[in-house]
Amino acid sequence: MAATVEELLAKAEKDEAEKLKSIRVKKELELEFDLGNLLASDRNAVNLRDFRAQKKEDYLRALARDNTQLLVNELWKMPSERVEGVVVAKLPEPTTRLPREKPVPKPRPPTKWEQFAKLKGIQKKKKTNLVWDEAHKEWRRRWGYKRANDNTKDWLVEVPETADPDEDQFAKRAHAKRERVAKNELNRLRNIARAHKLKVPGAAAAAPSRNELARAEQVAKVSTASVGKFQERLPKEKAPRNRGKKRAFQPNIGDFSTERQQQLELLKVIASKKPRMDVTKAVNKQMREEDMEAASKKRKGAGRKGRKGGSAPRGKAKGKAKAKGQGPPAGKSRQVRKGLGKR
Amino acid sequence: MTQLDGVVKPKTRRSKRFLQSREPKLTENVKNAMIMKGGNTSETVTKALKDIYALKKPNAVLYKKKNITRPFEDQTSLEFFSKKTDCSLFLFGSHNKKRPNNLVFGRMFDFHVLDMIELGIEKFVSLSDIKSPKCAEGTKPLLIFAGEAFDTDSEYKRLRSVFIDFFRGQTVPAVRLAGLEHVLHFTALEGKIYLRSYKVLLKKSGCRTPRIELEEIGPSFDFVLRRTHLASDDLSKTAHKLPKALKPKKKKNISHDTFGTKLGRLHMQKQNLAKLKTRKMKGLRKRRGETIQGEEEDSAKKAKVE
């Protein structure tokens, strides 16, 4: 009995092996499968010798057959169901990370009303779809085509006591509706523009500042044929200060007595033997000369010492001198000083 | 379409739907490819472009006119085209003395070039050259990559990613098992990449899983890798970012121990163990006679204690 059982088992195994022989493929390394993408990756090294020995195409075809067999084996392991008479296998999610084609969408920014409602804590109230229309005695939609309580379709409009009797009330209603629609559309577009501005950063153009605006206004005013002389001004605007004439000359024929006085004084100065001296100017000049001499002495001394050590102390001395205000202010003034000295 | 600062607002439902399909989304559409020719093309290149277009139909556009641009130098015209046609993949074919039979496979992120890989065609057998019945267009192909290079070399890894992007087709939740007809097999060997396309024949085997036989259809390419322009690491990272909503949700209260068993915690109210109602075991039930004896004994014991 035992022998026959063993025999039977062996036979069963053999049969199974035979069955699976046709679909079994031997590989050194297991393939990596991504069934969501119907993808298989074979990491095994390709046998170069076989590749060159056989015809290339045959070798590649055999390799492809083996790999496809393995992939199909994996696919057939997936749970399957019958959809409309066709056997369909359910695929898992794809595992390979592939780049997106567009960036992740950003949530829409809240509209002006949504911001206000959030601030005030106003909740959205759910409204019924249909409203009872008393005039037509039936349920009609809240808004849209054939809506309930549509005041544009009234055949009679009472003229209120405060209104002008010649005014067209129907036209007034139509006009008010048109205005409301336009306002709504404007706000909708503004909300969209605000949403899109966030989507496209980089094109942020800041409004011109107060100073820039003032400058622009000034320039615009003067850019006329008569250089802004006849431009109208706002009620409280100040008159522009005189930017034209840089020198004002005395009139040729003016006050004779003052002119006479000036001419006589001039002659006196020319005739006098002593040179006229401005005391303050002279004192300042003297002080400046003394300062410059002291500074140049300091620089020379520091320079000689610094030449051995490097340029750093020289720079430091210069900086120090400049900070104290004793160093020569600039090359220009040195030339000026020379000129003064000559005089 | 009303315009507002360069943004087009649709006036009809149809145009609105069209614009919505082009917006960035959480789960994206199939990537479209634009196939174009360069300043000078050879017959091999034009045939190759046509064949790849046939493989990629209907998610591809084939341009007939020549575009005198060089992808590796100036990418602005490519980006302009991709923005106009909403294509994030492109294939640029050209031929010159220095680079004969050149194909540039590329992909875009946010209408800017992400990766570009240049391949040279060494040998090409076209669809029309192989006389055999082909499979229908639009079938999702099985993709197989063979060779260690695809896992070790970084350029080959990117190339594999580009090929998957190009040829994978739409992501489907389920697939008809009998409809798996097409297989694309890429082999990286000795510095060359062999692309072969076969038709899958499912033969009877002893068990449920069929035996596979392959029949060569379709274009066969022998590529050689030339230049590459790969995206920088941080750009690549941004492109691969998964939106938070799509990340798989972690289930709380589930843990696995070392043996692999799933463990969880059950939180119960406080129970009075004395008044617990357990299963009734008839055999263990106290009989009438026994109970009286038991009680007498108990009371006797109690009396002693007291």
Side-chain angles (χ1 to χ4, degrees):
Chain A
M1 271 290 275
T4 45
V5 167
E6 273 184 27
E7 274 177 33
L8 277 171
L9 283 171
K11 202 178 166 205
E13 266 195 60
K14 238 189 173 180
D15 283 341
E16 260 218 62
E18 285 253 350
K19 271 191 191 176
L20 293 174
K21 194 170 72 171
S22 54
I23 60 165
R24 197 177 287 160
V25 175
K26 194 174 177 203
K27 285 269 179 183
E28 282 173 11
L29 277 171
E30 284 291 314
L31 306 198
E32 281 167 2
F33 296 103
D34 174 11
L35 293 176
N37 280 325
L38 299 179
L39 173 71
S41 297
D42 181 10
R43 276 171 147 199
N44 296 305
V46 181
N47 201 332
L48 287 172
R49 244 182 270 156
D50 285 348
F51 182 66
R52 281 176 212 150
Q54 282 180 314
K55 272 177 94 176
K56 265 197 263 175
E57 298 299 319
D58 294 337
Y59 180 77
L60 287 173
R61 186 202 234 117
L63 180 64
R65 197 221 77 80
D66 289 339
N67 288 335
T68 324
Q69 183 70 66
L70 287 166
L71 179 55
V72 164
N73 291 351
E74 283 299 311
L75 280 170
W76 251 254
K77 285 181 195 166
M78 284 277 114
S80 66
E81 54 183 19
R82 273 197 104 83
V83 175
E84 294 168 12
V86 174
V87 183
V88 152
K90 274 195 171 158
L91 295 175
E93 291 276 323
T95 52
T96 16
R97 280 270 290 257
L98 290 167
R100 291 173 61 92
E101 61 172 350
K102 288 167 194 150
V104 180
K106 279 171 225 157
R108 194 177 52 104
T111 60
K112 215 67 200 299
W113 169 253
E114 281 171 4
Q115 288 170 356
F116 178 75
K118 198 169 148 197
L119 187 69
K120 286 276 185 175
I122 300 171
Q123 310 286 44
K124 252 190 182 177
K125 287 208 179 114
K126 209 143 200 226
K127 297 185 178 126
T128 57
N129 288 337
L130 302 174
V131 185
W132 177 251
D133 186 356
E134 199 52 52
H136 294 91
K137 297 275 191 292
E138 63 174 1
W139 287 96
R140 284 197 164 182
R141 61 190 76 176
R142 191 180 285 277
W143 56 271
Y145 180 62
K146 282 190 190 159
R147 56 179 172 274
N149 311 322
D150 187 1
N151 70 349
T152 53
K153 299 273 192 284
D154 280 343
W155 55 270
L156 178 89
V157 178
E158 288 174 8
V159 177
E161 290 185 55
T162 49
D164 175 21
D166 290 333
E167 199 183 4
D168 184 357
Q169 296 298 326
F170 296 105
K172 190 169 140 193
R173 272 202 187 160
H175 182 71
K177 180 164 175 73
R178 255 182 280 129
E179 277 199 19
R180 271 180 276 133
V181 168
K183 178 174 172 268
N184 196 14
E185 182 68 19
L186 176 71
N187 284 331
R188 184 182 78 92
L189 290 176
R190 259 202 242 145
N191 280 327
I192 289 164
R194 204 184 303 117
H196 278 224
K197 253 192 215 160
L198 281 179
K199 276 193 204 174
V200 187
S209 66
R210 189 197 176 88
N211 293 333
E212 285 175 30
L213 272 175
R215 181 87 189 108
E217 191 226 340
Q218 267 178 15
V219 172
K221 255 217 177 114
V222 185
S223 323
T224 56
S226 10
V227 205
K229 194 166 174 189
F230 302 108
Q231 289 298 102
E232 287 167 3
R233 271 181 278 134
L234 288 174
K236 285 199 177 174
E237 206 177 332
K238 295 182 211 162
R241 44 183 248 244
N242 188 15
R243 293 174 146 255
K245 285 189 179 165
K246 290 185 186 168
R247 279 179 179 176
F249 290 102
Q250 299 279 334
N252 273 339
I253 303 167
D255 194 0
F256 288 121
S257 54
T258 43
E259 196 181 340
R260 195 158 168 250
Q261 278 280 357
Q262 281 176 354
Q263 300 284 6
L264 284 172
E265 274 212 39
L266 195 65
L267 284 170
K268 227 196 246 177
V269 167
I270 294 171
S272 69
K273 305 222 170 140
K274 272 192 203 170
R276 220 172 39 149
M277 197 171 77
D278 185 358
V279 186
T280 39
K281 245 190 185 175
V283 167
N284 284 339
K285 212 187 271 181
Q286 183 63 29
M287 277 169 66
R288 215 196 318 156
E289 274 187 30
E290 284 172 3
D291 288 345
M292 281 203 217
E293 274 179 33
S296 65
K297 267 189 191 169
K298 246 192 183 176
R299 256 193 309 116
K300 274 185 191 170
R304 267 184 211 147
K305 282 184 190 172
R307 235 169 260 165
K308 285 185 186 174
S311 60
R314 212 188 283 166
K316 273 190 190 167
K318 240 192 185 175
K320 274 190 188 169
K322 272 209 170 172
K324 284 186 186 170
Q326 289 175 352
K332 242 189 182 180
S333 65
R334 237 186 265 160
Q335 289 169 357
V336 170
R337 181 175 146 239
K338 273 192 182 167
L340 289 168
K342 267 190 184 172
R343 261 194 230 154
Chain B
M1 295 206 191
T2 48
Q3 268 194 309
L4 182 79
D5 300 335
V7 173
V8 194
K9 282 310 293 175
K11 268 191 173 163
T12 57
R13 267 269 158 80
R14 186 166 170 230
S15 49
K16 188 180 173 188
R17 260 182 283 134
F18 175 79
L19 282 179
Q20 271 181 347
S21 76
R22 288 200 172 184
E23 265 172 32
K25 294 175 210 159
L26 278 179
T27 38
E28 298 193 307
N29 307 333
V30 188
K31 289 192 182 182
N32 283 328
M34 48 185 190
I35 302 177
M36 51 201 337
K37 298 195 276 190
N40 192 11
T41 52
S42 61
E43 202 189 321
T44 338
V45 170
T46 35
K47 268 194 179 173
L49 292 178
K50 247 184 151 177
D51 284 351
I52 295 183
Y53 172 64
L55 284 179
K56 200 49 185 141
K57 265 200 232 184
N59 302 312
V61 267
L62 177 66
Y63 290 121
K64 287 186 184 166
K65 287 206 175 158
K66 294 188 181 174
N67 302 289
I68 305 177
T69 42
R70 292 179 197 161
F72 277 84
E73 279 145 45
D74 176 31
Q75 288 128 23
T76 43
S77 77
L78 283 173
E79 292 175 1
F80 173 73
F81 279 129
S82 103
K83 212 179 266 189
K84 276 286 166 181
T85 57
D86 189 36
C87 291
S88 54
L89 300 167
F90 67 87
L91 175 57
F92 187 88
S94 64
H95 174 80
N96 44 28
K97 214 169 175 187
K98 194 173 178 187
R99 286 175 239 275
N101 300 328
N102 209 20
L103 286 183
V104 181
F105 283 88
R107 61 183 168 193
M108 310 258 193
F109 174 70
D110 196 19
F111 305 120
H112 294 293
V113 168
L114 185 65
D115 295 325
M116 279 195 297
I117 300 178
E118 193 174 58
L119 297 166
I121 306 175
E122 303 234 309
K123 203 186 96 174
F124 167 59
V125 183
S126 149
L127 266 173
S128 41
D129 290 341
I130 304 172
K131 314 273 185 233
S132 63
K134 321 278 185 215
C135 39
E137 73 179 34
T139 44
K140 200 168 154 84
L142 302 169
L143 298 165
I144 303 179
F145 290 86
E148 327 149 290
F150 280 124
D151 276 309
T152 48
D153 194 351
S154 67
E155 293 197 340
Y156 276 81
K157 271 196 242 178
R158 279 291 171 92
L159 180 63
R160 177 171 76 169
S161 170
V162 170
F163 275 145
I164 298 173
D165 241 346
F166 220 88
F167 292 112
R168 85 169 151 155
Q170 209 172 25
T171 311
V172 281
V175 71
R176 184 170 151 247
L177 289 174
L180 294 168
E181 293 181 324
H182 194 187
V183 66
L184 284 168
H185 191 264
F186 300 83
T187 326
L189 188 54
E190 286 178 330
K192 284 197 198 172
I193 300 152
Y194 300 95
L195 162 62
R196 298 286 179 270
S197 158
Y198 303 101
K199 183 168 174 165
V200 175
L201 304 164
L202 305 162
K203 297 279 159 96
K204 265 193 185 172
S205 76
C207 48
R208 192 175 154 246
T209 323
R211 184 178 160 78
I212 300 291
E213 291 296 328
L214 296 180
E215 194 190 319
E216 181 147 13
I217 54 158
S220 87
F221 290 92
D222 288 2
F223 288 127
V224 69
L225 185 67
R226 289 179 188 161
R227 297 180 288 182
T228 56
H229 171 98
L230 303 177
S232 59
D233 272 335
D234 45 315
L235 182 60
S236 172
K237 224 179 169 186
T238 346
H240 281 89
K241 220 177 191 177
L242 254 183
K244 250 188 177 175
L246 285 182
K247 276 192 202 157
K249 270 194 165 176
K250 209 180 172 187
K251 275 193 167 172
K252 285 185 172 179
N253 199 18
I254 293 179
S255 59
H256 297 264
D257 70 351
T258 45
F259 296 104
T261 41
K262 225 174 176 183
L263 296 168
R265 261 197 124 116
L266 263 178
H267 298 265
M268 294 286 295
Q269 293 171 324
K270 211 169 182 181
Q271 288 171 319
N272 187 357
L273 292 168
K275 289 192 179 170
L276 252 184
K277 290 193 176 166
T278 53
R279 267 169 105 184
K280 296 176 189 171
M281 302 279 198
K282 250 189 170 172
L284 298 174
R285 219 195 262 172
K286 287 182 180 171
R287 306 277 168 200
R288 268 223 181 142
E290 287 174 31
T291 23
I292 296 169
Q293 274 188 359
E295 277 179 18
E296 280 184 4
E297 280 182 27
D298 278 343
S299 54
K301 278 183 190 170
K302 276 183 190 166
K304 276 189 187 173
V305 166
E306 279 169 17

